[in-house]
């Protein structure tokens, strides 16, 4: 009885949403079951394919580097065409809000820590800040926004050898805000262009912000702000600042909660609605029902109560160690929803390297899959005929070091969703 | 298949030895660290409600703060992260009482849904609010100041206490809606007139801080329970399919048509409906820190519902805040016999039918002459994973379209929007919903929550229906 769909996707991050949209485009009736708000609001909003090789070398042309990845890497499983198809799907969802699809070459985006991140797609709001450009750059931080130290970030970028002069300045965000105001509070003030009280009388938020920055411009060709320039109206906010300052303005991606991530989440939500993907959010999937090597239903839990969701095909997209799709205790590493096998050394002292930034085996922990992305058991056999895995739950990639997380989610989400949709 | 229970992240009442709270009297550090040999140092004093493990799970990502509808409009409100884990640590120190900003939290529980670490935020807020209200005693402190020879300080305490007392009386009246409603239901017509009588409302605002902006909801001529008794109880007997209806205060005293629709729909599917004796779910009491009141009501509810469950019934609620209380808040806050069973057997009315009947099939064959609805998902439906249910269910129903008006909070949050000092914030929060309702095709609203319905009507003038009423029209 009860709730039945063709395809059930477990996990609401980039991989889950991509596979749900892809399966729905195949004509399947799709349900997305997720526990919490999408992890996209924790993400920078940058979409990487491959920024570094497993040996730590910077990658300029990610597509040329894919074939050199080790056997078992998710990109090797799905192939270059799936990576391109995943990015195509992303470009359709993101539309004008994103740039980078004009080239296969990685763009270099300055981050809030003052590093340079190689990435394949970046929000429109970030475009003017690319580190490869040569105009002198002024970074602006705010006294109360401690997560972005603009002078420090500018110094880091200078030390990294970017081709432009960089300067950083810390100013007061104009107006009477709490000392610990949220980034969304500033974004809303700019979205709505709220009236701000200043010593010279009332003015509007965008005008006041431009006025606070203007005296520090001193010939800079562009100005970088932490990513707080509006949630709903980022382009209008940026344009207003550019008009007043007479130079280009851009955002520097920040940590969570991330406005570029929130904006991307909204784009994907709209795409899920457009494709009729049914969504159930708020409870964790904790159990399942199987029959003869096939999953029949997954169960979500609410204080001991179990609600089943039946489907013909399932996609596991619960994320990695951080997303809690992979979990560990002192005795071993597990995939908690379907209890799929996660290859790892028996001795937990072999799970990590001694150096903090060493080559940690745990970073690559995840389920092993066949070429159809079906998780494999300890003996190399398929765990369940109608279960596929996508995104961070897959083993074989250190996406934090490689800068490959979003690309893997898009490519494997696309492949898993297409296969699930075709199998219905 | 022995799967790991992810829900086990959530600490339960410490005194009953619940998962993740206390093991052998010691707080657990995390799943990975809880082994037999490992004995964590007992840094903090544990109480019977040990929330430390949940507090330690907070890594300050602030996602809860960006999901808080109150923090969005009230710059003075420090947000759920402060009210939860940060305040929990602070108040463990000498001289740090619960901050009075806790009264700003409207108990929408959106922070729970937002937290990627399953920090039990709403549980922390509920307990902190309880402590805050409990600490609002002023007689003893006044005497102490007098004894110390500080009459001025004593006067200050009295003055603060007097203001606190008015607020407390007001909150108590609002929270104990069931009591007022019970009185009103004895003379509904008079009550309807009296409650919205201008001068009386002015007086209520000036003396008690109950906003005069709102219309009091109309009381039904006959309560649901009176109707139930008059019809002679259940019309279907079926020991195999039995549900115990938790109607709550609102569908008993005000929107009795929701309760009646629930009965008729369930009987059409062949269910025997029980209507056990019951009190308020406690939701308005949790939101006002009156945990003792809530516990008293919970004792009755749990005893009667657990007995019905033992008799083969599942529990059904038509109000999503009531089902939220029974499912989540009860086991988090109280330690009562049968409480886990009630939590595990409680369902929202549509949810239960979806799980046990071919509701989609039945609706696909039905047609109605109902028109277009602008649907708002209550926060407490959202937290139960039910926010898209009505949209999904009615998608294939001929003669009705149900359009989602977005994921904003309605802003009333039960008693929150009734407080004079919160009214403007409440309307500011609701603004987005009003705009979306206005832009939607329908001129009739739809929601599961009685107070959201009040706010929707207040902000747009629309008539508001419950999904069960549409279901009744389609299937009965």
């Amino acid at each position: 009885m009860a709730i039945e769909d063709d395809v059930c996707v477990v996990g609401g991050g980039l991989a889950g949403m991509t596979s749900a949209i892809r399966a729905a485009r195949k004509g399947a009736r799709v349900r997305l079951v997720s526990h919490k708000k999408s992890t996209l609001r924790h993400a920078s909003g940058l979409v990487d394919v491959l920024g570094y090789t497993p040996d730590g070398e910077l990658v300029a042309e990610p597509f040329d580097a894919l074939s050199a990845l080790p056997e078992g890497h998710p990109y090797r499983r799905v192939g270059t065409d799936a990576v391109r198809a995943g990015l195509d799907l992303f470009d359709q969802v993101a539309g004008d809000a994103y740039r980078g699809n004009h080239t296969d070459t990685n763009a270099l985006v300055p981050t809030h820590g003052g590093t340079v991140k190689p990435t394949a797609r970046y929000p429109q709001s970030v475009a003017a800040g690319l580190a490869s450009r040569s105009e002198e750059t002024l970074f602006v931080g705010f006294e109360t926004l401690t997560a972005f130290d603009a002078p420090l970030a500018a110094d880091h970028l200078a030390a990294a050898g970017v081709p432009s002069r960089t300067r950083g300045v810390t100013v007061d965000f104009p107006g009477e805000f709490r000392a610990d105001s949220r980034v969304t509070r500033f974004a809303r003030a700019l979205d709505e262009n709220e009236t701000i009280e200043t010593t010279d009388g009332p003015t509007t938020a965008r005008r006041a912000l431009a006025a606070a920055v203007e005296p520090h411009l001193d010939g800079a060709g562009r100005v970088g702000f932490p990513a707080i320039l509006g949630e709903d109206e980022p382009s209008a906010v940026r344009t207003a600042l550019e008009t007043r300052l007479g130079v280009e303005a851009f955002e520097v991606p920040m940590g969570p909660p991330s406005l570029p991530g929130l904006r991307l989440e909204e784009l994907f939500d709209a795409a899920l609605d457009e494709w009729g993907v049914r969504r159930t959010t708020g409870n964790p999937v904790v159990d399942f029902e199987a029959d003869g090597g096939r999953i029949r239903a997954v169960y979500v839990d609410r204080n001991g109560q179990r609600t089943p969701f039946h489907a013909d095909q399932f996609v596991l997209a619960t994320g990695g160690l951080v997303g809690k799709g992979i979990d560990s205790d002192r005795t071993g590493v597990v995939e908690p929803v379907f209890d799929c096998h996660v290859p790892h050394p028996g001795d937990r002292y072999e799970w990590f390297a001694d150096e903090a930034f060493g080559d940690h085996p745990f970073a690559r922990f995840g389920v092993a899959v066949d070429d159809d992305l079906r998780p494999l058991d300890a003996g190399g056999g398929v765990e369940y005929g109608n279960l596929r895995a996508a995104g961070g739950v897959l083993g074989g990639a250190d996406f934090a070091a490689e800068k490959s997380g979003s690309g893997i989610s898009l490519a494997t989400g696309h492949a898993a969703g297409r296969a699930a949709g075709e199998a219905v | 298949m022995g799967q790991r229970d992810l829900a086990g992240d959530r600490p339960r009442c410490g005194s009953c030895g619940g998962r993740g709270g206390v093991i052998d009297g010691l707080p657990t550090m995390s799943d990975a660290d809880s082994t037999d040999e490992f004995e964590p140092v007992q840094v903090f004093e544990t109480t019977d409600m040990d929330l430390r493990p949940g507090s330690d799970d907070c890594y300050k990502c602030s996602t809860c703060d960006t999901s808080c509808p109150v923090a969005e409009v009230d710059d003075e409100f420090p947000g759920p992260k402060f009210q939860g884990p940060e305040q929990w640590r602070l108040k463990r120190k000498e001289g740090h009482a619960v901050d009075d900003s806790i009264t700003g939290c409207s108990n929408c529980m959106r922070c729970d849904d937002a937290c990627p670490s399953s920090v039990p935020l709403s549980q922390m807020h509920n307990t902190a609010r309880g402590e805050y209200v409990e600490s609002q005693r002023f007689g003893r402190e006044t005497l102490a100041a007098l004894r110390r020879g500080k009459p001025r300080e004593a006067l200050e305490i009295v003055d603060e206490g007097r203001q606190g007392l008015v607020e407390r009386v007001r909150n108590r009246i609002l929270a104990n809606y069931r009591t007022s409603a019970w009185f009103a239901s004895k003379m509904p017509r008079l009550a309807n007139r009296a409650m919205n009588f201008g001068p009386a409302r002015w007086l209520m605002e000036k003396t008690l801080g109950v906003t005069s902006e709102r219309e009091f909801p109309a009381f039904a001529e006959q309560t649901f329970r009176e109707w139930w008794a008059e019809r002679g109880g259940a019309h279907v007997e079926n020991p195999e399919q039995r549900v115990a209806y938790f109607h709550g205060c609102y569908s008993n005293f005000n929107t009795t048509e929701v309760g009646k629709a629930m009965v008729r729909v369930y009987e059409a599917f062949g269910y025997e409906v029980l209507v056990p004796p019951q009190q308020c779910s406690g939701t308005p009491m949790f939101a006002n820190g009156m945990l003792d009141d809530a516990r008293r009501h919970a004792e009755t509810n749990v005893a009667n519902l657990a007995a019905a469950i033992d008799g083969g019934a599942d529990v059904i609620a038509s109000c999503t805040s009531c089902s939220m209380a029974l499912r989540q808040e009860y086991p988090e806050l109280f330690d009562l016999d049968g409480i886990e069973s009630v939590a595990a057997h409680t369902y929202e009315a549509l949810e239960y039918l979806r799980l046990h009947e071919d509701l989609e099939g039945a609706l696909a064959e039905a047609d109605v002459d109902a028109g277009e609805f602008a649907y708002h998902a209550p926060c407490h439906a959202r937290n139960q994973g039910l926010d898209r249910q009505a949209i999904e269910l009615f998608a294939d129903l001929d003669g009705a379209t149900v359009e989602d008006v977005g994921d904003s909070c309605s802003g009333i949050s039960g008693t929150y929007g009734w407080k004079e000092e919160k009214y403007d914030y409440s309307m500011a929060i609701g603004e987005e919903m009003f705009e979306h309702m206005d832009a939607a095709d329908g001129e009739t609203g739809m929601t599961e929550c009685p107070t959201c319905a009040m706010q929707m009507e207040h902000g747009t003038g629309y008539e508001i229906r419950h999904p069960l009423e549409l279901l009744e029209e389609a299937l009965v």
Side-chain angles (χ1 to χ4, degrees):
Chain A
M1 249 325 128
I3 303 172
E4 292 208 34
D5 297 279
D6 296 330
V7 176
C8 177
V9 178
V10 183
L14 195 55
M17 294 194 291
T18 302
S19 53
I21 292 169
R22 193 66 191 85
R25 274 168 40 171
K26 278 274 166 200
R29 188 162 103 157
V30 183
R31 177 177 304 280
L32 187 74
V33 183
S34 58
H35 183 187
K36 297 289 186 179
K37 297 247 181 220
S38 171
T39 44
L40 276 185
R41 58 182 61 204
H42 297 253
S44 64
L46 302 178
V47 174
D48 322 318
V49 170
L50 190 71
Y52 293 89
T53 66
D55 299 329
E57 283 166 45
L58 188 71
V59 172
E61 304 285 340
F63 287 98
D64 295 347
L66 296 183
S67 57
L69 289 169
E71 196 71 33
H73 191 285
Y75 280 142
R76 294 286 302 274
R77 290 282 172 214
V78 296
T80 306
D81 287 349
V83 185
R84 289 193 183 279
L87 282 172
D88 281 348
L89 188 148
F90 177 86
D91 291 336
Q92 287 164 32
V93 170
D96 294 342
Y98 269 75
R99 299 267 294 271
N101 58 358
H102 59 290
T103 174
D104 275 355
T105 307
N106 272 333
L108 299 173
V109 176
T111 73
H112 63 116
T115 60
V116 173
K117 191 177 187 193
T119 193
R121 299 286 186 274
Y122 47 93
Q124 178 77 36
S125 67
V126 162
L130 295 192
S132 46
R133 290 173 47 167
S134 56
E135 301 99 312
E136 181 178 335
T137 315
L138 173 70
F139 289 94
V140 176
F142 301 108
E143 205 63 69
T144 57
L145 221 71
T146 52
F148 181 56
D149 184 333
L152 188 71
D155 287 350
H156 272 206
L157 285 163
V162 296
S164 71
R165 274 193 61 208
T166 57
R167 279 186 294 123
V169 62
T170 304
V171 303
D172 278 326
F173 197 98
E176 297 285 312
F177 293 97
R178 287 179 66 89
D180 60 345
S181 279
R182 292 154 278 274
V183 290
T184 42
R185 178 71 191 90
F186 295 118
R188 189 162 53 88
L190 291 166
D191 267 343
E192 293 174 9
N193 208 11
E194 285 177 9
T195 303
I196 298 269
E197 291 299 333
T198 67
T199 44
D200 302 331
T203 181
T204 54
R206 297 173 191 175
R207 185 191 291 257
L209 179 56
V213 172
E214 214 269 325
H216 303 279
L217 217 46
D218 199 18
R222 49 185 174 161
V223 186
F225 294 91
I228 58 164
L229 303 184
E231 182 175 351
D232 301 325
E233 307 285 341
S235 138
V237 172
R238 218 171 49 253
T239 308
L241 293 173
E242 287 177 340
T243 309
R244 298 208 165 272
L245 291 170
V247 296
E248 285 185 290
F250 64 91
E251 287 188 315
V252 180
M254 300 280 288
S258 152
L259 264 307
L262 278 162
R263 296 177 202 135
L264 185 57
E265 184 186 338
E266 270 173 39
L267 293 169
F268 267 87
D269 277 347
L272 290 166
D273 280 343
E274 186 191 332
W275 289 102
V277 173
R278 294 141 61 105
R279 276 175 281 165
T280 303
T281 307
N283 301 316
V285 172
V286 292
D287 205 353
F288 66 99
E289 186 187 318
D291 173 17
R294 288 179 72 81
I295 310 282
R296 312 246 317 166
V298 291
Y299 286 81
V300 303
D301 174 277
R302 175 121 215 129
N303 281 339
Q305 183 189 99
R306 308 231 150 168
T307 304
F309 289 91
H310 294 264
D312 186 48
Q313 300 290 323
F314 291 85
V315 177
L316 173 68
T318 43
L321 283 162
V322 177
K324 300 185 171 68
I326 299 293
D327 201 358
S328 68
D329 61 18
R330 293 181 171 226
T331 59
V333 185
V334 294
E335 181 279 295
V337 176
F338 297 103
D339 204 17
C340 290
H341 172 64
V342 179
H344 64 279
D347 179 353
R348 64 191 167 93
Y349 286 89
E350 291 173 27
W351 295 357
F352 55 88
D354 285 338
E355 307 77 33
F357 291 100
D359 185 12
H360 294 286
F362 73 75
R364 290 189 182 79
F365 286 172
V367 298
V369 290
D370 68 4
D371 285 346
D372 195 27
L373 294 175
R374 291 178 301 180
L376 301 174
D377 61 26
V382 168
E383 293 256 20
Y384 299 99
N386 61 342
L387 175 68
R388 289 171 185 81
V393 74
L394 296 169
D398 180 350
F399 59 82
E402 294 168 4
K403 308 290 175 221
S404 60
S406 303
I408 289 174
S409 288
L410 289 171
T412 59
H414 178 274
R418 185 180 59 186
E422 275 168 1
V424 168
Chain B
M1 298 287 171
Q3 305 305 314
R4 284 173 55 88
D5 187 353
L6 290 183
D9 288 350
R10 194 167 196 94
R12 302 285 178 87
C13 175
S15 62
C16 53
R19 245 183 338 237
V22 170
I23 291 178
D24 298 334
L26 292 169
T28 55
M29 303 294 280
S30 75
D31 279 358
D33 287 335
S34 55
T35 62
D36 289 337
E37 317 85 83
F38 185 70
E39 288 195 0
V41 181
Q42 207 164 349
V43 183
F44 296 103
E45 230 176 89
T46 60
T47 62
D48 64 341
M49 192 82 72
D50 182 19
L51 296 168
R52 185 183 168 201
S55 173
D56 285 353
D57 281 343
C58 171
Y59 59 86
K60 312 236 178 284
C61 70
S62 302
T63 300
C64 56
D65 285 347
T66 59
S67 304
C68 174
V70 175
E72 193 179 336
V73 297
D74 179 359
D75 278 347
E76 294 305 308
F77 184 65
K81 186 179 67 176
F82 170 78
Q83 302 299 354
E86 288 175 0
Q87 171 142 276
W88 188 86
R89 285 198 175 83
L90 274 176
K91 72 189 173 70
R92 238 125 272 272
K93 292 194 171 180
E94 202 83 29
H96 280 272
V98 176
D99 191 76
D100 61 5
S101 62
I102 190 70
T103 58
C105 165
S106 71
N107 196 37
C108 73
M109 303 169 88
R110 277 181 180 246
C111 45
D112 276 358
D113 200 22
C115 177
S117 241
S118 296
V119 174
L121 289 153
S122 68
Q123 185 184 10
M124 298 181 123
H125 303 157
N126 273 330
T127 52
R129 255 195 314 268
E131 269 183 56
Y132 175 78
V133 169
E134 190 65 20
S135 71
Q136 280 180 313
R137 295 203 182 100
F138 60 96
R140 210 172 33 199
E141 287 78 358
T142 315
L143 283 176
L146 283 175
R147 259 189 235 115
R148 288 201 308 273
K150 304 234 165 123
R152 186 162 295 177
E153 193 184 323
L155 271 177
E156 269 170 29
I157 296 170
V158 169
D159 193 44
E160 269 169 34
R162 190 178 51 79
Q163 287 169 14
L165 191 66
V166 169
E167 193 178 292
R168 199 169 170 183
V169 167
R170 187 268 316 266
N171 290 356
R172 189 135 200 176
I173 291 171
L174 288 174
N176 283 277
Y177 173 72
R178 187 182 180 279
T179 311
S180 338
W182 181 83
F183 276 117
S185 72
K186 299 297 157 200
M187 320 159 264
R189 270 181 242 184
L190 179 65
N192 288 342
R193 272 206 308 275
M195 293 300 266
N196 288 307
F197 178 56
R201 293 301 304 277
W202 178 84
L203 200 66
M204 278 174 81
E205 178 165 306
K206 293 301 164 205
T207 57
L208 286 171
V210 175
T211 178
S212 59
E213 298 283 344
R214 293 188 185 278
E215 288 271 297
F216 265 105
F219 292 100
E221 295 278 315
Q222 182 188 37
T223 67
F224 170 78
R225 292 192 79 93
E226 286 164 0
W227 172 81
W228 179 253
E230 190 178 283
R231 94 197 276 260
H235 286 183
V236 174
E237 278 185 38
N238 185 350
E240 303 300 313
Q241 287 187 317
R242 215 171 246 174
V243 291
Y245 179 35
F246 189 83
H247 48 66
C249 307
Y250 211 79
S251 61
N252 187 40
F253 295 116
N254 302 94
T255 52
T256 52
E257 61 277 11
V258 172
K260 292 174 193 169
M262 186 271 156
V263 169
R264 291 182 190 125
V265 167
Y266 269 72
E267 289 193 341
F269 278 104
Y271 283 85
E272 177 174 345
V273 179
L274 315 175
V275 185
Q278 53 193 267
Q279 301 279 337
C280 170
S281 70
T283 302
M285 297 156 190
F286 304 142
N288 286 288
M290 292 156 187
L291 296 185
D292 289 345
D293 289 10
R295 171 187 282 272
R296 218 173 40 248
H297 289 256
E299 281 166 3
T300 307
N301 293 335
V302 169
N304 292 330
L305 295 175
I309 292 165
D310 287 343
D314 285 317
V315 179
I316 303 302
S318 50
C319 161
T320 42
S321 292
C322 292
S323 55
M324 188 74 183
L326 299 176
R327 279 174 152 180
Q328 181 175 321
E329 286 164 318
Y330 277 18
E332 280 179 353
L333 297 172
F334 309 128
D335 179 18
L336 301 169
D337 275 348
I339 209 161
E340 303 280 343
S341 167
V342 170
H345 284 91
T346 298
Y347 297 82
E348 191 275 330
L350 264 71
E351 177 191 24
Y352 190 78
L353 283 180
R354 285 187 85 192
L355 295 175
H356 294 92
E357 304 300 327
D358 183 13
L359 198 53
E360 278 183 29
L363 282 170
E365 286 166 21
D367 68 291
V368 292
D369 184 20
E372 290 157 336
F373 295 91
Y375 173 77
H376 163 75
C379 295
H380 288 179
R382 198 168 292 283
N383 280 326
Q384 294 175 69
L386 303 173
D387 51 322
R388 299 181 70 86
Q389 174 175 267
I391 304 290
E392 215 178 282
L393 256 184
F394 295 124
D396 297 327
L397 175 63
D398 280 340
T401 53
V402 181
E403 188 180 340
D404 196 342
V405 297
D407 64 358
S408 63
C409 172
S410 80
I412 189 167
S413 289
T415 59
Y416 175 85
W418 279 91
K419 297 173 183 172
E420 193 260 328
E421 75 278 14
K422 306 288 189 214
Y423 174 78
D424 288 343
Y425 294 138
S426 154
M427 293 303 280
I429 297 170
E431 187 63 36
E432 192 179 328
M433 180 189 74
F434 304 144
E435 282 168 14
H436 287 175
M437 282 179 73
D438 202 39
D441 290 335
E443 298 283 297
T444 307
M446 179 181 276
T447 192
E448 288 92 345
C449 170
T451 52
C452 288
M454 232 181 258
Q455 177 86 331
M456 292 164 81
E457 188 184 348
H458 184 63
T460 63
Y462 289 9
E463 184 195 351
I464 317 296
R465 310 292 296 276
H466 191 287
L468 277 169
E469 296 176 72
L470 182 55
L471 209 56
E472 182 191 14
E473 193 180 333
L475 302 179
V476 182

